[in-house]
Amino acid sequence: MSEIKQLNDTELKELTGLSYKLREKCLTMIHNVQSGHPGGTFSALDLILVLYKKIISQCNEWTCSPQWDKRDRFVLSKGHASAGLYAVLAECGYFCDDELMSFRKLGARLQGHPSCNCVPGVEIPAGSLGQGLSMANGIALSLKLDKNPAKVFVMMGDGELQEGQVWEAAMSCAHYKLNNVIAVIDRNRLQIDGCTEDIKALEPLADKWRAFGWDVLSVNGHDFQQIYQAYQVAVNITNEKNKPIIIIADTIKGKGVSFMENNAGWHGKATKEEEFTKAVEELRGKC
Amino acid sequence: MLTDNKIVSSLRQAYGETLVQLGAENKNIVVLDADLACSTQTIQFKKAFPERFFNMGVAEQDAIGTAAGLAYSGKTAFFSTFAVFASGRAWDQVRCSVAYPKFDVKIVATHGGVTVGEDGATHQALEDISLMRSLPNMKVIIPADSVETKAVIRYIAENKGPYYVRLTRPAMPEIFDAKKYKFDMKAKVLVEGKDITIATYGETVVEALKCAEMLKEKGISAEIINVPVIKPLDEETILKSARKTGAVLTVENHSIIGGLGSAVCELLAENQPLPVKRVGVRDVFGQSGEYTELMKKYGLVAEKFIEDAMQLIEKK
């Protein structure tokens, strides 16, 4: 079992600054094309950022392929948070930062919802909700057949958990003892039409996953120290036990822009000019 | 190419046997099933290579996604269940997780069409070819006998990308000579003729051959084409025959909407408009019954569609 490390003050400051810098990029991408999903992108961003910057093993030599065999895999099941994934991938050097502004435009590699055939670093396609965990399980089974120790991280939205396929996959993952799967729920408690608990209640969510044979961790999805530690604990636990683990991360939809926070209306809407200016100003103030 | 060996053999059995052979040759082949391994005959692969077989339970959507993940990671993933579930229950998963990214998933769906028999409408896939044919990147194949099945399964294992293959529930008379038959994604003229083209696939190929004999007795020369690949359609062979005979009868164990009949109409309407008649299930659900009775009920036997052929010739 590896020792659980803590972020030092410099790392913490860097991650915090970067998270707001990337939020500004995402917001600009969405504003630029006047379409996209800021709410769920901002709730998921800190979780994706810590994963790529501190946890997953990836190929850092860019002469070497993003398809490097031993890399940990990241499956974004909530494909509408694509802007967040693209911004983090560009930050990690998978492709040039300039490309971000082609997001959602005709002929662009950066499709509205991710396509995996053309974007370096995007493992699987997503967009139709509920399909990521099944694909993560397939990747995990393949890794086990090949005796490859890499892990598969998969992020789902909370509204997405209303899809029946998620629970089919939850059963499969536990049944096949896929201790190389680490799932993350972006629990921002909002979906397009309102609160998850009003639309179709998910609680008691942790109990549901436990009942399906998973270990469960809960964290604040915007506390970098907690996120970092939860990922490490998850890796440790899965190395010790023959079962998958899920991190339920309490997050805030629209996190970082005060007028977007906890407002379902910002699920899939771009900013108007005035809103954009205000939001950018606020994000820059937090860097 | 044809045989007169009079042997009746199971396409599903042939599928299972071929999977085992392929599994021995290629360690990257994995097989998934959704609680129907005995029916689909993937059980044979399970017995031979248990570590590469995954029973996903009664969960077709998850099974397709898992197959997609395995295929993404370099495996050639075969998934089998009944055609109605493989195509309908998991259609969006096939669309987004398999066809869109062009993953190497082979959906081999058994129990297609009304020949499922007694289980009735819920289990009789009459729309599967239509559903699968409309997906970009998806290729659709229906073998007619066990010889063709073996060749098709080997072909799809050796060629990357998504395929949908539909197999029959009943055993079928062997049509093709195993020594001479070669599968190359093309349609094949089995009997040459000049008065009418009968294009078909699967269970009804043997009926079409029968129909050609019956028409011959009436002095009508029918050209019989086996079209195992509905997509990509072998346009050249069908157009050539259609131009020669001037009328095309399509016969299929599927809805007349969206299957071979539709594909042929689309082709001819754009290239060579001429009289066509689609024989198939005419926009209704199936029902329980012994499968040969159902074939008769829905007009899929030679004795029935010979009338369609005669009427069609009069329209020329």
Side-chain angles (χ1 to χ4, degrees):
Chain A
M1 185 170 280
S2 323
E3 193 192 333
I4 305 294
K5 288 181 275 187
Q6 291 223 349
L7 298 168
N8 62 35
D9 288 348
T10 317
E11 290 172 311
L12 202 54
K13 206 175 158 204
E14 265 175 22
L15 278 173
T16 307
L18 193 51
S19 78
Y20 290 112
K21 192 181 112 191
L22 294 186
R23 279 188 175 87
E24 184 186 332
K25 276 187 190 163
C26 294
L27 191 77
T28 311
M29 287 160 72
I30 293 166
H31 183 75
N32 180 41
V33 69
Q34 280 296 297
S35 81
H37 299 83
T41 297
F42 289 177
S43 60
L45 191 85
D46 295 341
L47 295 156
I48 302 174
L49 181 62
V50 177
L51 194 60
Y52 274 87
K53 281 290 181 188
K54 296 291 173 194
I55 299 292
I56 68 174
S57 59
Q58 49 186 321
C59 182
N60 287 315
E61 293 293 327
W62 298 110
T63 48
C64 164
S65 164
Q67 291 290 305
W68 175 55
D69 188 41
K70 296 289 186 286
R71 74 192 185 282
D72 291 324
R73 276 72 167 165
F74 175 62
V75 169
L76 179 70
S77 189
K78 49 170 289 184
H80 54 285
S82 53
L85 176 62
Y86 297 150
V88 172
L89 287 174
E91 176 64 30
C92 293
Y94 284 82
F95 49 84
C96 179
D97 228 31
D98 298 345
E99 193 171 345
L100 290 175
M101 289 309 133
S102 70
F103 178 56
R104 286 180 166 249
K105 287 186 175 165
L106 185 65
R109 298 198 295 179
L110 307 185
Q111 291 288 296
H113 293 84
S115 158
C116 65
N117 290 341
C118 50
V119 189
V122 173
E123 304 276 5
I124 56 114
S128 180
L129 292 173
Q131 303 192 22
L133 184 55
S134 298
M135 284 196 268
N137 290 346
I139 296 169
L141 283 168
S142 184
L143 291 170
K144 280 190 175 280
L145 281 174
D146 296 339
K147 305 202 178 347
N148 183 331
K151 299 275 184 197
V152 187
F153 293 86
V154 51
M155 173 179 278
M156 290 173 280
D158 50 1
E160 179 176 12
L161 302 181
Q162 290 158 354
E163 289 283 4
Q165 187 187 350
V166 171
W167 302 98
E168 294 180 4
M171 273 196 270
S172 297
C173 197
H175 178 80
Y176 283 102
K177 301 182 170 59
L178 298 180
N179 62 346
N180 48 354
V181 170
I182 296 171
V184 185
I185 303 293
D186 175 10
R187 182 77 173 111
N188 61 33
R189 307 186 84 88
L190 290 174
Q191 56 190 113
I192 297 176
D193 281 348
C195 299
T196 57
E197 299 317 285
D198 295 337
I199 306 294
K200 188 149 84 175
L202 297 170
E203 295 298 340
L205 190 56
D207 289 346
K208 283 180 180 155
W209 285 95
R210 281 191 202 100
F212 274 72
W214 289 58
D215 275 326
V216 180
L217 296 175
S218 295
V219 295
N220 174 340
H222 301 300
D223 180 320
F224 290 106
Q225 202 68 268
Q226 278 194 35
I227 298 170
Y228 183 44
Q229 291 186 15
Y231 281 137
Q232 294 175 78
V233 170
V235 169
N236 273 344
I237 291 178
T238 50
N239 285 341
E240 298 287 315
K241 289 162 87 169
N242 271 330
K243 60 201 282 199
I245 194 163
I246 190 158
I247 299 169
I248 300 177
D250 279 319
T251 57
I252 296 168
K253 195 153 185 158
K255 167 74 180 174
V257 177
S258 49
F259 64 84
M260 289 183 175
E261 288 188 358
N262 288 318
N263 183 346
W266 286 100
H267 174 88
K269 192 173 76 167
T271 39
K272 296 195 182 83
E273 213 53 57
E274 200 178 305
E275 292 164 335
F276 178 69
T277 312
K278 202 173 148 195
V280 167
E281 198 178 311
E282 184 178 344
L283 289 169
R284 285 188 183 164
K286 288 173 177 169
C287 278
Chain B
M1 185 163 60
L2 302 183
T3 180
D4 54 359
N5 70 12
K6 310 272 189 271
I7 296 171
V8 173
S9 59
S10 159
L11 282 68
R12 291 179 281 142
Q13 177 70 23
Y15 167 51
E17 284 169 14
T18 311
L19 271 185
V20 173
Q21 286 168 12
L22 291 166
E25 293 165 23
N26 181 354
K27 297 276 177 279
N28 274 328
I29 287 179
V30 296
V31 177
L32 301 91
D33 204 297
D35 198 34
L36 287 167
C38 295
S39 296
T40 64
Q41 282 297 310
T42 58
I43 188 83
Q44 295 186 46
F45 187 91
K46 182 195 174 174
K47 284 178 186 159
F49 310 104
E51 73 290 352
R52 282 189 273 148
F53 176 83
F54 305 103
N55 200 325
M56 303 309 295
V58 192
E60 296 78 11
Q61 302 177 356
D62 180 43
I64 287 287
T66 309
L70 281 154
Y72 171 69
S73 308
K75 308 297 178 208
T76 295
F78 280 81
F79 167 58
S80 288
T81 180
F82 289 179
V84 76
F85 309 129
S87 63
R89 187 60 176 258
W91 189 80
D92 185 51
Q93 285 72 18
V94 175
R95 179 178 185 269
C96 295
S97 296
V98 174
Y100 180 41
K102 292 188 219 166
F103 286 158
D104 201 20
V105 174
K106 321 297 182 184
I107 302 163
V108 181
T110 68
H111 295 64
V114 295
T115 46
V116 166
E118 293 79 355
D119 277 350
T122 56
H123 283 53
Q124 293 163 348
L126 299 175
E127 313 83 7
D128 57 326
I129 292 162
S130 178
L131 285 168
M132 289 295 127
R133 189 170 77 92
S134 64
L135 292 173
N137 302 330
M138 182 60 78
K139 297 185 173 80
V140 180
I141 310 175
I142 309 101
D145 73 352
S146 61
V147 173
E148 191 163 51
T149 299
K150 286 177 185 173
V152 165
I153 298 303
R154 182 162 285 278
Y155 180 92
I156 64 171
E158 289 166 356
N159 288 274
K160 292 269 177 219
Y163 284 85
Y164 178 81
V165 176
R166 183 218 248 196
L167 302 180
T168 61
R169 172 176 173 250
M172 298 300 299
E174 287 183 15
I175 299 167
F176 300 108
D177 183 338
K179 290 198 183 86
K180 291 177 191 155
Y181 182 82
K182 193 176 176 310
F183 178 74
D184 59 0
M185 295 291 284
K186 297 293 178 199
K188 292 281 169 356
V189 176
L190 303 184
V191 176
E192 288 192 22
K194 57 182 176 45
D195 299 327
I196 185 172
T197 299
I198 302 180
T200 186
Y201 60 81
E203 289 102 324
T204 43
V205 174
V206 70
E207 292 297 325
L209 291 169
K210 227 185 277 175
C211 190
E213 289 296 320
M214 291 158 69
L215 284 167
K216 202 172 164 185
E217 284 168 21
K218 295 178 188 289
I220 296 165
S221 155
E223 179 146 299
I224 308 299
I225 311 183
N226 176 35
V227 191
V229 183
I230 310 301
K231 190 185 165 194
L233 192 68
D234 179 358
E235 300 184 345
E236 198 185 330
T237 302
I238 293 168
L239 271 177
K240 194 177 158 195
S241 178
R243 282 176 176 138
K244 180 168 73 170
T245 64
V248 181
L249 185 80
T250 61
V251 182
E252 59 189 321
N253 181 8
H254 185 269
S255 170
I256 54 162
I257 300 170
L260 174 66
S262 294
V264 167
C265 286
E266 290 156 16
L267 173 72
L268 296 179
E270 286 187 351
N271 295 279
Q272 188 78 42
L274 46 75
V276 178
K277 169 81 182 181
R278 294 166 299 154
V279 172
V281 179
R282 301 194 75 80
D283 197 20
V284 290
F285 285 102
Q287 58 180 296
S288 293
E290 199 273 324
Y291 87 87
T292 54
E293 290 173 348
L294 288 165
M295 292 276 282
K296 280 183 204 142
K297 160 86 184 159
Y298 294 104
L300 300 172
V301 291
E303 293 77 10
K304 292 272 186 185
F305 63 76
I306 188 170
E307 291 163 28
D308 297 297
M310 305 282 283
Q311 285 167 15
L312 185 61
I313 289 168
E314 280 172 27
K315 283 192 187 167
K316 285 211 299 186

